Amino acid sequence: MSATPRARAPAPLRPPTRAGGGGGARPPQDRVLVITWWDAPYDAELPELPEPGEGLAARAVHRWRFESVG
């Protein structure tokens, strides 16, 4: 990860645990969701996370940009 998103990112959340131990969740097919928030206009030039290294991603990387509606 680049230093800029990491510097602005809040501390990671801990997954909830269930009674009896264990916890967390895993989506099918080893998907990963990364959400970044930038206080900037929709069309602003923003830093992106680097592409994963060779052999680290089993799927193509997809990126979407959203705008706040609230």
Side-chain angles (χ1 to χ4, degrees):
M1 289 177 58
S2 70
T4 303
R6 192 174 5 180
R8 292 185 178 198
L13 298 175
R14 294 179 56 201
T17 58
R18 292 181 287 230
R26 182 178 67 192
Q29 301 175 357
D30 296 324
R31 292 182 173 117
V32 174
L33 173 65
V34 177
I35 299 174
T36 56
W37 180 272
W38 302 100
D39 188 14
Y42 184 80
D43 58 352
E45 185 74 27
L46 301 173
E48 293 283 354
L49 294 174
E51 292 292 321
E54 184 73 28
L56 292 179
R59 308 169 58 87
V61 174
H62 299 286
R63 292 186 167 114
W64 297 277
R65 187 176 278 196
F66 297 90
E67 60 183 326
S68 178
V69 294

